[in-house]
Amino acid sequence: MKTAQDLKNQLQSIHRKSYPAYKELRGKYSFDDYILSIDHVQGDPFASPSHISAEIPLKTAGFPSSCHNASCTRIALQDYLNRQFEQQVNHYSFRAKGSGKSGLISVSHCGQEILERTACQISQTSVIARFTVGFPANGRTINAPELEKIFFDFLPICIKKSFFYRSLNKKQIEETVFLAEDQEFIRKELKKRQLTAFVADGSILPRQSGVSQKPLKDSIPFVSPDSLAVELLLPHKGKLRGMGIPEGITLIAGGGYHGKSTLLHALETGVYNHVAGDGREYVITDPTGIKLRAEDGRFIKDVDISLFINDLPNKRDTHCFSTLDASGSTSQAAAIAESIEAGTSLFLIDEDTSATNFMVRDAFMQQVINRSKEPITPFIERARDLYQKAGISTILVAGSSGAFFHIADTIIQMDCYKAVDITASTKELCQKYPLPRAATPDFAFPESHRIMKSNHRASPSSSENRGLKTKTHDRYTFSIGKETVDLRYVEQLVDYEQTAALASILRYACETLIDGKHTLHQIGEHLTHLLETKGLSAVCGSSYIPCGLAMPRKQEIYACLNRFRQGLS
């Protein structure tokens, strides 16, 4: 392995040469306490920055094994270290001068959720930090002394202050690890106590704005109704009281602007752990929970929507239904069938973003339009069977239709951001206003035998840029080949890097799995197992592991596959 002095000599030898000479630097260099690896060199100073990694032996880093032995604590510690590294790097970015992106030092930015990222990974032997650096140049002429500043002055300080236990706040690390263990404890308790979610007393649910997920100042802290209160004895925090939402059908009701959707949004993101101080760190939801909504215009291919839609006037088969332009009700029916295939055990639904005719048909409408003329079996008539026969609970926000009160097991009223259990009183009212009986078709699990195929399958033997090119545009869209995959209504994607990871996952699937022989379910399960056992490195498709990828859930992987038109065409 080359030494740090070798790197310094090479920099001096290429000073003032044309920019492509920087590619000679690729390789690993041994510094005092870590190995610096130049993994990929940008083509010019205006291109995407170069990919760099630093590997610190775990013994040298000095973290106690208790901080990273379990998966939950390892991911929490990785997140903490990445945040520390970002703070340090921000002091030095662009202090090395030059054209274009010269001097940029960029690290993954972490939000309120704790995600597993390629930016910082702890293995059994080392801590690896990945980041990008804009190699300095004047025009397109190498400015080596400025890059020497980054490698020998700036980065050693940042790495020393971020990835060595002796340099960090040990109390903060302990609190980070303890919080992760407490959160994992609550997730296990949900199953034991037959709960779908837990919202701790004192939680701050409102957010600052649509573009900031930080807690809103001066908000009303959440307090559980006594009838739904659950007390947990956490390993580190000790006693924690909060609202336990039981399995079954839960209705969240109340007037407009009283906090219904705020509570639901907190539950949506409760599938992820949150950092201390977020206000929702003890809002924990079934990790398989899926937010459902209508998606007008969505592409659907070979989905069994017969659970909700049958006997269409044109006699189309709804056991294997396809459309390039789905209505709101059709898209929501397809989303439920796809979610069942993805293994969810909880639906999260807001009436405001749902198709009205899919959710409910009132008594008057049933009198005017005969049941034989309506192909849609509304969700209100399927929710009970979904729970009793498929084991899928529902948490539903409703503010307009009283019919939902009749099917609910638990009814929570949000009153000025205060939760009130009105189940008993509302059930008494329901007896006075009974729903007419509906002739609901028998329940049958949706079938799926969808074969995925691709028109452009890459050669597995090609090197760094195998086959399809991907580009992530924003948090909800990416392109693969000539197709754009639109995930704007997959609302539990919380980070741009999750979408970037989905692009890599889909590219890997196209290259190795989508061949006209495997079903979507087989491909989804294979990808999930691969990521669980080998991590995101298994789908990177290059000779190095880049920073900038964050782990999506299995449910988002399935959602991505279901929205890939090329593979399902």
Side-chain angles (χ1 to χ4, degrees):
M1 186 183 297
K2 296 177 183 179
T3 65
Q5 186 59 48
D6 292 331
L7 177 58
K8 195 172 281 190
N9 294 340
Q10 280 187 275
L11 284 169
Q12 292 169 0
S13 71
I14 63 173
H15 181 48
R16 292 182 179 171
K17 287 188 177 182
S18 181
Y19 203 88
Y22 264 140
K23 294 188 181 295
E24 298 174 15
L25 301 180
R26 282 187 295 189
K28 295 185 177 183
Y29 301 88
S30 177
F31 281 64
D32 289 340
D33 294 319
Y34 60 91
I35 296 169
L36 184 76
S37 179
I38 301 173
D39 299 317
H40 172 74
V41 178
Q42 64 202 90
D44 65 65
F46 300 93
S48 298
S50 304
H51 286 261
I52 312 296
S53 59
E55 183 174 357
I56 305 103
L58 202 51
K59 287 184 178 180
T60 306
F63 293 98
S65 59
S66 59
C67 292
H68 52 78
N69 274 349
S71 176
C72 64
T73 55
R74 175 182 57 79
I75 293 171
L77 179 59
Q78 289 171 176
D79 177 88
Y80 173 82
L81 297 180
N82 191 76
R83 292 173 194 267
Q84 299 304 306
F85 191 42
E86 183 186 22
Q87 287 181 16
Q88 295 299 323
V89 159
N90 286 343
H91 296 308
Y92 297 99
S93 190
F94 287 117
R95 281 177 60 174
K97 304 301 181 182
S99 308
K101 293 184 173 69
S102 295
L104 169 67
I105 309 175
S106 179
V107 180
S108 291
H109 176 72
C110 301
Q112 300 299 99
E113 293 81 13
I114 297 173
L115 305 174
E116 182 160 15
R117 302 175 187 267
T118 55
C120 181
Q121 292 183 304
I122 300 173
S123 70
Q124 293 183 344
T125 58
S126 62
V127 179
I128 303 175
R130 298 185 180 92
F131 50 99
T132 58
V133 173
F135 283 11
N138 297 323
R140 285 179 170 80
T141 301
I142 288 174
N143 189 339
E146 292 298 294
L147 185 55
E148 187 174 323
K149 282 183 188 177
I150 294 174
F151 284 153
F152 291 91
D153 296 337
F154 303 161
L155 285 179
I157 295 173
C158 295
I159 292 170
K160 180 181 178 181
K161 289 185 176 182
S162 305
F163 298 107
F164 291 86
Y165 185 64
R166 61 179 179 270
S167 304
L168 294 165
N169 186 319
K170 297 174 180 57
K171 181 65 175 176
Q172 286 184 0
I173 293 174
E174 181 183 78
E175 290 172 351
T176 298
V177 171
F178 284 178
L179 175 58
E181 291 178 338
D182 282 347
Q183 289 167 333
E184 184 66 15
F185 177 85
I186 296 173
R187 292 195 185 280
K188 291 178 179 178
E189 283 296 301
L190 291 183
K191 289 186 177 181
K192 290 180 183 177
R193 297 175 182 242
Q194 296 182 308
L195 301 174
T196 61
F198 174 82
V199 185
D201 287 358
S203 296
I204 303 298
L205 305 186
R207 301 293 96 185
Q208 285 183 2
S209 67
V211 295
S212 173
Q213 286 300 301
K214 292 185 178 180
L216 182 66
K217 293 181 180 179
D218 302 321
S219 297
I220 298 173
F222 184 87
V223 178
S224 172
D226 289 340
S227 55
L228 295 175
V230 173
E231 191 172 273
L232 303 175
L233 185 61
L234 306 188
H236 304 290
K237 187 176 178 64
K239 288 184 180 180
L240 182 66
R241 182 185 183 273
M243 180 174 72
I245 300 180
E247 293 177 353
I249 303 169
T250 299
L251 182 66
I252 301 173
Y257 305 98
H258 279 255
K260 304 187 303 296
S261 295
T262 299
L263 173 57
L264 186 71
H265 180 68
L267 296 173
E268 289 171 33
T269 59
V271 298
Y272 304 107
N273 288 347
H274 289 72
V275 294
D278 171 75
R280 301 169 298 180
E281 55 264 54
Y282 295 112
V283 178
I284 305 295
T285 308
D286 179 337
T288 70
I290 290 182
K291 170 68 185 302
L292 292 176
R293 59 164 298 152
E295 298 180 54
D296 292 275
R298 215 205 96 178
F299 161 78
I300 293 169
K301 178 65 175 176
D302 296 342
V303 180
D304 182 357
I305 60 172
S306 61
L307 189 62
F308 294 96
I309 300 176
N310 275 298
D311 301 323
L312 294 176
N314 57 10
K315 305 301 181 183
R316 290 181 65 182
D317 182 13
T318 58
H319 289 82
C320 188
F321 186 85
S322 301
T323 179
L324 295 175
D325 187 16
S327 66
S329 56
T330 304
S331 66
Q332 212 159 347
I336 289 179
E338 293 164 350
S339 299
I340 292 173
E341 188 174 23
T344 188
S345 53
L346 173 65
F347 290 141
L348 299 152
I349 304 174
D350 193 332
E351 185 187 36
D352 284 350
T353 56
S354 297
T356 303
N357 63 333
F358 174 78
M359 294 300 295
V360 65
R361 292 182 77 231
D362 64 28
F364 190 79
M365 180 61 74
Q366 291 184 46
Q367 290 293 323
V368 174
I369 306 297
N370 189 276
R371 187 58 184 257
S372 64
K373 300 297 182 181
E374 175 53 73
I376 300 174
T377 301
F379 181 82
I380 192 171
E381 296 176 18
R382 288 296 191 198
R384 179 60 53 195
D385 281 341
L386 282 168
Y387 174 57
Q388 292 181 342
K389 297 179 181 179
I392 301 174
S393 297
T394 297
I395 298 177
L396 170 66
V397 165
S400 62
S401 176
F404 294 115
F405 291 109
H406 290 265
I407 66 165
D409 301 307
T410 305
I411 304 169
I412 301 166
Q413 179 185 357
M414 294 303 294
D415 184 0
C416 297
Y417 283 89
K418 295 180 181 178
V420 183
D421 181 5
I422 59 170
T423 306
S425 59
T426 306
K427 287 300 181 183
E428 287 183 13
L429 281 173
C430 287
Q431 293 176 7
K432 297 180 181 179
Y433 304 96
L435 286 180
R437 290 190 175 184
T440 305
D442 291 340
F443 180 91
F445 281 94
E447 296 183 7
S448 177
H449 301 292
R450 290 172 289 164
I451 300 292
M452 295 198 74
K453 55 187 177 181
S454 179
N455 292 336
H456 35 219
R457 193 178 173 206
S459 168
S461 61
S462 51
S463 58
E464 187 161 321
N465 229 345
R466 301 191 305 174
L468 291 170
K469 289 186 177 180
T470 62
K471 182 179 180 180
T472 307
H473 303 292
D474 52 43
R475 194 170 97 188
Y476 295 117
T477 58
F478 66 87
S479 55
I480 177 168
K482 295 181 180 179
E483 182 184 344
T484 297
V485 179
D486 186 349
L487 302 171
R488 78 182 80 175
Y489 294 129
V490 183
E491 296 183 350
Q492 286 161 293
L493 282 174
V494 294
D495 197 286
Y496 171 93
E497 293 191 359
Q498 287 180 301
T499 307
L502 286 171
S504 292
I505 291 166
L506 186 54
R507 178 182 57 196
Y508 172 87
C510 286
E511 293 172 348
T512 61
L513 297 169
I514 300 178
D515 55 5
K517 299 177 182 178
H518 294 88
T519 66
L520 184 144
H521 182 71
Q522 288 171 333
I523 292 169
E525 293 304 302
H526 177 91
L527 291 170
T528 302
H529 178 72
L530 183 70
L531 292 168
E532 287 175 350
T533 54
K534 296 185 178 180
L536 287 164
S537 61
V539 298
C540 286
S542 62
S543 58
Y544 64 95
I545 303 172
C547 64
L549 303 180
M551 188 71 78
R553 298 186 305 152
K554 172 183 177 180
Q555 284 68 31
E556 279 67 57
I557 294 172
Y558 270 79
C560 179
L561 293 172
N562 279 307
R563 286 158 181 78
F564 179 43
R565 293 179 181 234
Q566 194 90 40
L568 287 168
S569 61

